[in-house]
Amino acid sequence: MRPGRAGASLVPVRARVRQPVRSGRTLFRGLVSAVERTDAASRHALLSVRGHSVAWLVPTLILAAIAVADVTTDVFQIIAWTVLVPGVAAAICGVRSTAVFAVLSLVVYVLADTVWKHRAETGLPGLVLVLVGGFVAVVAAAFRVSGERRMLHMRDVAETTRRTVLRALPDGFGGLEHAAVYLSADSDARVGGDFFDIQPGPYGTRVLVGDVQGKGLGAVDAAAALLGTFREAAYHVPDLAVVAEHLDLRMLRHRAHTAALGEANGDRFATGVLVGFRSDMPDAVELVNFGHEPPLAVGPGGVRRLPVAGGLPLGMRELLPGDFLTTVRAGLAEDETLLLVTDGVVEARDPDGAFYDHEATVALAVEADPSDTSPRRLVAVVRDGTLRHCRGRLTDDTTVFAVRRSGRPPMWP
């Protein structure tokens, strides 16, 4: 994770790369789906028709082909093929189905050796081989199914944890239209240190997007602590800079707490961007940057970086004595969308090691269709572009978050 670049320019970004081929959109939607599912889930979906598994068809067809080839030709040795059928079943079927195919393979072998007899008998050694192969296949299937169940259970736990930390945001929440996508670099965990939230209140609607340094449950724990503080401070505190101070203090307290527990989390910190939408500022927003990538303002006129002061990440105030949190007011037109990303986007690399330029990708998309700069479209553009650039191999948790005023008054409890 790296701090965001300071000194942002307001000059619209010009496209410097070729526009992606539109015909590839379907391919990359499929890539996104593959990234978001386990191998087991993908395999079950591929081998299902209307919710019913048809995995048994594969070993059945193989076994039938072996039997036909053995009866009609003298080319194939049945033993070299029959023993593989339960092995194939073990890879894609359940334990019972694998056991059935082990028995069927044995039956086919016995028929070929004792009934058809159009070649020399292979005898007891071949029979033992088929028996042992079937037994090994059943054991392998049992281990595979057990492992898949544990993995899917852990994925369910991780998904529940993620939904608890990153709560669902209703449409138009706080008077804002929003869209977000989160992709975990760990395909098994599906949970990491990226976080985002919207909190409406009497002093306007506040938005927080950030990334906790590190991975694992320690990063999730820190993200949950910061989001809890944000939801309370953003509602009750009038000054956005004071909300930022609450967040920094919470990071310091959390770090001290984990250190007292003896957890080896090191000097954990978090980058982030805090945004304030106020009803008395319809054409501007307030920003506090904690060493994060500067947000982009995307509208029909192009793409521009919003100016941010070079703030330090949360939990690193000791590096800069005095007032280190600066609130910046930046213009944001009614038809502009605020686009924020985490390090998984800006640090995505292609096979040659080149970083992904999401600004140029968004600029090309706006140039192609200036009439649609909605949060949903921008999130999809950056998500697909990131996965395309790194060939689906994410090295860091990736969050793309876009938000704009919906034109409706914010509602808050």
Side-chain angles (χ1 to χ4, degrees), residues 58-332:
V58 177
T60 299
L61 292 175
I62 294 175
L63 186 59
I66 292 172
V68 171
D70 184 77
V71 171
T72 59
T73 72
D74 290 327
V75 177
F76 297 102
Q77 291 295 325
I78 192 69
I79 187 59
W81 296 84
T82 306
V83 73
L84 297 178
V85 173
V88 173
I92 60 177
C93 299
V95 179
R96 292 182 180 178
S97 297
T98 302
V100 169
F101 281 107
V103 173
L104 289 177
S105 298
L106 182 63
V107 170
V108 170
Y109 174 81
V110 171
L111 288 174
D113 204 37
T114 62
V115 178
W116 298 327
K117 286 187 176 181
H118 62 284
R119 69 164 65 90
E121 296 182 11
T122 53
L124 183 61
L127 181 64
V128 172
L129 182 59
V130 175
L131 281 170
V132 172
F135 174 76
V136 171
V138 172
V139 173
F143 275 103
R144 193 205 88 230
V145 170
S146 177
E148 287 182 355
R149 286 174 178 171
R150 288 195 300 269
M151 181 180 64
L152 292 174
H153 175 69
M154 292 304 297
R155 289 293 298 272
D156 289 341
V157 172
E159 182 69 13
T160 301
T161 302
R162 185 178 71 86
R163 291 180 179 179
T164 301
V165 175
L166 301 177
R167 63 179 179 176
L169 299 174
D171 293 336
F173 192 49
L176 301 178
E177 180 185 352
H178 61 84
V181 64
Y182 172 82
L183 300 174
S184 174
D186 185 345
S187 60
D188 290 331
R190 302 188 74 183
V191 63
D194 286 10
F195 57 90
F196 56 88
D197 202 3
I198 298 174
Q199 181 57 58
Y203 307 107
T205 300
R206 274 76 182 263
V207 174
L208 177 65
V209 177
D211 181 6
V212 175
Q213 175 263 337
K215 300 181 182 297
L217 292 178
V220 177
D221 190 26
L226 289 172
L227 285 174
T229 298
F230 166 72
R231 289 161 187 163
E232 291 301 310
Y235 183 89
H236 293 288
V237 178
D239 191 344
L240 194 68
V242 178
V243 176
E245 291 178 3
H246 278 278
L247 291 171
D248 184 73
L249 181 60
R250 185 69 182 94
M251 189 72 236
L252 293 173
R253 290 173 53 208
H254 178 77
R255 198 164 65 193
H257 176 72
T258 55
L261 292 175
E263 298 179 6
N265 287 327
D267 295 330
R268 194 182 295 277
F269 61 89
T271 65
V273 178
L274 180 61
V275 186
F277 291 85
R278 289 169 40 179
S279 57
D280 59 342
M281 293 169 48
D283 56 354
V285 292
E286 291 182 317
L287 297 167
V288 180
N289 186 281
F290 309 105
H292 200 75
E293 185 73 12
L296 301 178
V298 184
V303 182
R304 60 190 177 90
R305 283 178 170 244
L306 293 185
V308 293
L312 291 176
L314 295 167
M316 301 184 69
R317 65 163 63 186
E318 67 274 6
L319 299 180
L320 187 63
D323 186 9
F324 68 100
L325 296 172
T326 304
T327 302
V328 176
R329 179 176 296 187
L332 187 70

